[in-house]
């Protein structure tokens, strides 16, 4: 092999290695801040422009370090959102008290003027239900199976949290039992398939994660692997027959440690009243 042939071969081989490693080494570690305007038809006027920062599917564990998540927490705080919501899967492994005890002190550093509210995902229950619920309570972020009114003057919205669809019980109706008939209700529910379950309470917006956006998304073909029954539930804002549904792409990974055309994200949802949008 002469020098020119060797250089061509080396360049081609390097390009192949770079292309193959990109989803694992590069894109998986580039966390974007993505901003979404979310129309909510019965949003009180005082909450027009109210911003929620969402963290979900952190999956602390192999290839997702505590230092990486700590930086995500600091970045989220610097966004100065009105509220922070977290929708589950904070750890990766099963039967892992150590990961749970590592991630929750980091989540406890989240701060927002109108509070930080969190629910659990299937991985949190697989890690250890009791320990995850303990930290949920200890941090003061627990909204699982309960709701809380958030006031701006006399206007209010109601934030509530469901249990995980796979590893808990949803209890959506019970969650909002203390709310009023005409309240603007916002539900945190890890798995977006929750929207298609049997509940009777009107909900204005559901905020979910779980799908990771598919992690690998091919142009025109979409994501070949989605851990939901309704394959329309990939990511972003989706109008369902019952409610508005927002699904974040999340931060970490599951099944395979790669992302392609599906960057991890901190999602910032700006709630808007459609009557005030030109």
């Amino acid at each position: 092999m002469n020098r020119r042939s060797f250089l061509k071969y080396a360049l081609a081989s390097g390009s192949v290695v770079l292309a193959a490693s990109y989803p694992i080494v590069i894109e998986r570690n580039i966390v974007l801040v993505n901003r979404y305007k979310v129309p909510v038809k019965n949003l009180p006027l005082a909450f027009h422009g109210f911003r929620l920062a969402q963290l979900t599917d952190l999956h602390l564990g192999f290839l997702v370090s505590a230092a990486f998540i700590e930086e995500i927490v600091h970045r989220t705080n610097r966004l100065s959102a009105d509220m922070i919501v977290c929708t589950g899967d904070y750890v990766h492994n099963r039967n892992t008290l150590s990961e749970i005890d590592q991630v929750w002190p980091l989540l406890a550093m989240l701060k927002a003027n109108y509070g930080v509210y969190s629910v659990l995902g299937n991985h949190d229950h697989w890690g250890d239900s009791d320990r995850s619920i303990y930290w949920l309570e200890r941090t003061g972020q627990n909204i699982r199976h309960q709701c809380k009114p958030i006031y701006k003057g006399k206007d209010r919205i109601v934030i509530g949290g469901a249990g995980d669809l796979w590893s808990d019980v949803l209890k959506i109706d019970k969650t909002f039992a203390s709310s009023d008939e005409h309240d603007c209700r916002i539900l945190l529910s890890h798995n977006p398939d929750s929207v298609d379950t049997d509940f009777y309470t009107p909900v204005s917006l559901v905020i979910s994660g779980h799908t990771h956006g598919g992690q690998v998304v091919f142009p025109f073909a979409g994501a070949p692997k989605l851990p939901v029954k309704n394959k329309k539930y990939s990511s972003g804002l989706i109008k369902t027959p019952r409610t508005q549904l927002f699904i974040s792409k999340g931060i970490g990974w599951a099944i395979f440690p790669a992302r392609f055309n599906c960057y991890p994200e901190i999602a910032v949802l700006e709630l808007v009243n459609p009557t005030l949008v030109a």
Side-chain angles (χ1 to χ4, degrees):
M1 181 180 295
N2 59 35
R3 184 171 180 272
R4 178 174 293 180
S5 298
F6 174 78
L7 289 175
K8 287 182 177 179
Y9 174 80
L11 181 60
S13 299
S15 298
V16 170
V17 170
L18 180 61
S21 63
Y22 170 80
I24 298 173
V25 178
I26 300 175
E27 184 168 326
R28 185 179 57 79
N29 292 298
I30 299 174
V31 180
L32 304 181
V33 175
N34 291 330
R35 302 176 188 274
Y36 304 85
K37 284 189 181 292
V38 180
V40 181
K41 63 181 181 180
N42 63 336
L43 184 73
L45 298 184
F47 284 87
H48 181 75
F50 193 83
R51 295 185 308 129
L52 297 86
Q54 180 195 7
L55 290 180
T56 194
D57 298 278
L58 301 174
H59 286 277
L60 181 141
F62 181 60
L63 297 180
V64 181
S65 68
F68 182 77
I69 291 177
E70 184 173 4
E71 176 57 25
I72 297 298
V73 167
H74 291 320
R75 285 183 65 188
T76 304
N77 282 339
R78 289 195 294 268
L79 294 171
S80 299
D82 297 298
M83 179 187 292
I84 297 173
V85 296
C86 303
T87 50
D89 278 8
Y90 311 112
V91 298
H92 189 73
N93 289 319
R94 294 174 183 261
N95 305 315
T96 174
L97 293 178
S98 62
E99 287 181 5
I100 293 169
D101 288 344
Q102 195 173 18
V103 75
W104 274 101
L106 302 177
L107 295 174
M109 295 190 295
L110 291 167
K111 305 293 180 187
N113 286 338
Y114 287 85
V116 180
Y117 300 98
S118 302
V119 294
L120 301 178
N122 51 294
H123 277 262
D124 305 306
H125 288 283
W126 295 348
D128 189 276
S129 292
D130 290 342
R131 193 63 174 172
S132 294
I133 293 170
Y134 161 80
W135 276 106
L136 202 59
E137 288 282 356
R138 178 172 170 177
T139 57
Q141 298 177 13
N142 187 16
I143 200 70
R144 170 181 171 265
H145 296 163
Q146 57 189 287
C147 68
K148 180 177 179 179
I150 308 296
Y151 285 92
K152 292 189 78 173
K154 294 182 179 180
D155 286 343
R156 77 178 197 175
I157 59 175
V158 176
I159 186 86
D164 179 64
L165 178 64
W166 287 1
S167 303
D168 197 359
V169 285
L170 288 172
K171 296 186 178 180
I172 295 173
D173 291 319
K174 181 180 178 181
T175 290
F176 289 112
S178 64
S179 65
D180 294 337
E181 180 182 357
H182 300 294
D183 274 327
C184 175
R185 302 180 184 93
I186 297 173
L187 176 69
L188 309 183
S189 188
H190 176 69
N191 191 322
D193 276 332
S194 304
V195 168
D196 298 330
T197 62
D198 292 329
F199 63 93
Y200 303 99
T201 306
V203 175
S204 303
L205 173 66
V206 177
I207 302 174
S208 295
H210 184 64
T211 67
H212 307 182
Q215 289 188 200
V216 173
V217 180
F218 295 111
F220 309 109
K225 184 72 173 177
L226 286 170
V228 284
K229 289 183 179 180
N230 192 329
K231 301 307 178 184
K232 295 179 181 178
Y233 297 164
S234 175
S235 66
L237 186 63
I238 300 167
K239 186 176 182 180
T240 78
R242 311 182 75 169
T243 184
Q244 293 267 70
L245 169 65
F246 179 81
I247 308 167
S248 171
K249 300 181 185 75
I251 300 293
W253 65 273
I255 303 177
F256 47 90
R259 283 184 181 257
F260 176 74
N261 196 29
C262 185
Y263 288 97
E265 71 173 348
I266 303 168
V268 179
L269 283 59
E270 181 183 351
L271 308 184
V272 297
N273 185 304
T275 65
L276 300 180
V277 178

